[in-house]
Amino acid sequence: MIRALLFDMGGTLDGDGLHWLDRFVELYAAAGVRLPREVLRAAFDHAEALSASDDVMATASLDQMIERHVGWQLAHMHASGDHVLHRRLVDGFVAPIRVSAADNVRLLADLSARGLRLGVVSNGCGNVDVLCAELGYAPYLSVVVDSRRAGLYKPDPAIFIYAAAKMERRPSNVMMVGDSFDRDVRPAKSIGMMTAWLEGPAPRTCPDPSLADVRLRHLAELPGMLEMRASA
């Protein structure tokens, strides 16, 4: 029986199945910057590495976080002076998150009203709790597990065991909802959690259908899927 839900943040509660890198690739293309994906990925990975240990990131708001992330990307590509591109990337990245957040607040409120305990477990920069508060999620969450603060990182199953304990729920009574099959679905399933794989708007081949109890194209489908499982 599902008594609690854990959500990923990046790509799930802030993107409805769209990975950060994919979003940035689209934004660069829309701005007329047509570089090979591997070049953009290198810049993205550079920014991710800096984010993981940066002190400012540990308490950054959404706008501050993306400002710094984009700045590091552009610096890696020797384009720090392109202020127009910087602004376009930041605004283009943040705006859809705020739109998704409005929908997700209603989703979390609905799930909470059903008596489900809710939480977030994310490979974060130390500021996941700040983001959850800013986006309006905090009132519905009983726990926010940020990898940087917990000292545990996906895909280590230990972070999911830790999150379940913080929620005072057995793993078998928890469903993990995430967009990454390898970082969310596999490790959560390995400790006995139920899993919901958020594929995103574009169909993806499921690496192992036996590990995904539920497959979602959009987070909004989750309540209906839970009702179907409860009545089966």
Side-chain angles (χ1 to χ4, degrees):
M1 179 180 179
I2 300 172
R3 300 179 61 198
L5 294 166
L6 279 171
F7 293 87
D8 168 57
M9 175 59 87
T12 300
L13 277 182
D14 73 351
D16 208 13
L18 293 174
H19 188 274
W20 274 35
L21 174 60
D22 294 330
R23 282 185 264 172
F24 276 120
V25 169
E26 291 180 0
L27 287 170
Y28 277 108
V33 179
R34 303 194 179 278
L35 293 171
R37 184 181 176 90
E38 56 267 27
V39 173
L40 297 178
R41 182 176 193 102
F44 177 84
D45 289 346
H46 172 73
E48 286 286 280
L50 292 175
S51 298
S53 59
D54 182 68
D55 288 340
V56 173
M57 279 291 204
T59 58
S61 67
L62 177 61
D63 285 340
Q64 291 170 335
M65 178 174 68
I66 304 307
E67 287 273 3
R68 292 179 77 76
H69 201 286
V70 168
W72 288 325
Q73 290 180 41
L74 294 178
H76 188 266
M77 294 186 291
H78 308 290
S80 297
D82 194 335
H83 302 298
V84 173
L85 177 60
H86 186 284
R87 184 79 266 138
R88 184 166 179 175
L89 291 171
V90 172
D91 292 345
F93 195 90
V94 169
I97 292 177
R98 298 201 183 282
V99 172
S100 293
D103 293 332
N104 290 337
V105 166
R106 290 189 288 270
L107 171 71
L108 295 176
D110 175 35
L111 294 170
S112 179
R114 298 175 186 221
L116 293 165
R117 186 163 290 189
L118 308 177
V120 167
V121 56
S122 177
N123 279 354
C125 305
N127 66 332
V128 177
D129 57 342
V130 175
L131 299 178
C132 287
E134 180 181 347
L135 297 175
Y137 303 158
Y140 309 104
L141 303 175
S142 63
V143 63
V144 175
V145 177
D146 184 311
S147 60
R148 182 172 176 180
R149 296 190 180 278
L152 300 167
Y153 298 83
K154 301 178 190 179
D156 184 349
I159 196 171
F160 297 97
I161 295 172
Y162 176 80
K166 294 279 284 184
M167 298 180 83
E168 300 180 333
R169 295 290 183 265
R170 295 177 180 176
S172 59
N173 294 133
V174 179
M175 174 176 274
M176 177 63 203
V177 184
D179 68 296
S180 173
F181 204 89
D182 290 331
R183 290 191 300 274
D184 297 320
V185 175
R186 287 189 190 277
K189 195 67 173 178
S190 75
I191 65 162
M193 286 185 177
M194 288 166 278
T195 58
W197 182 40
L198 180 59
E199 292 183 67
R204 288 192 278 168
T205 300
C206 184
D208 187 344
S210 70
L211 300 182
D213 296 294
V214 172
R215 292 174 66 171
L216 306 169
R217 298 294 290 277
H218 301 283
L219 270 181
E221 299 169 357
L222 182 59
M225 290 290 189
L226 294 177
E227 289 176 2
M228 288 175 61
R229 287 183 61 83
S231 62

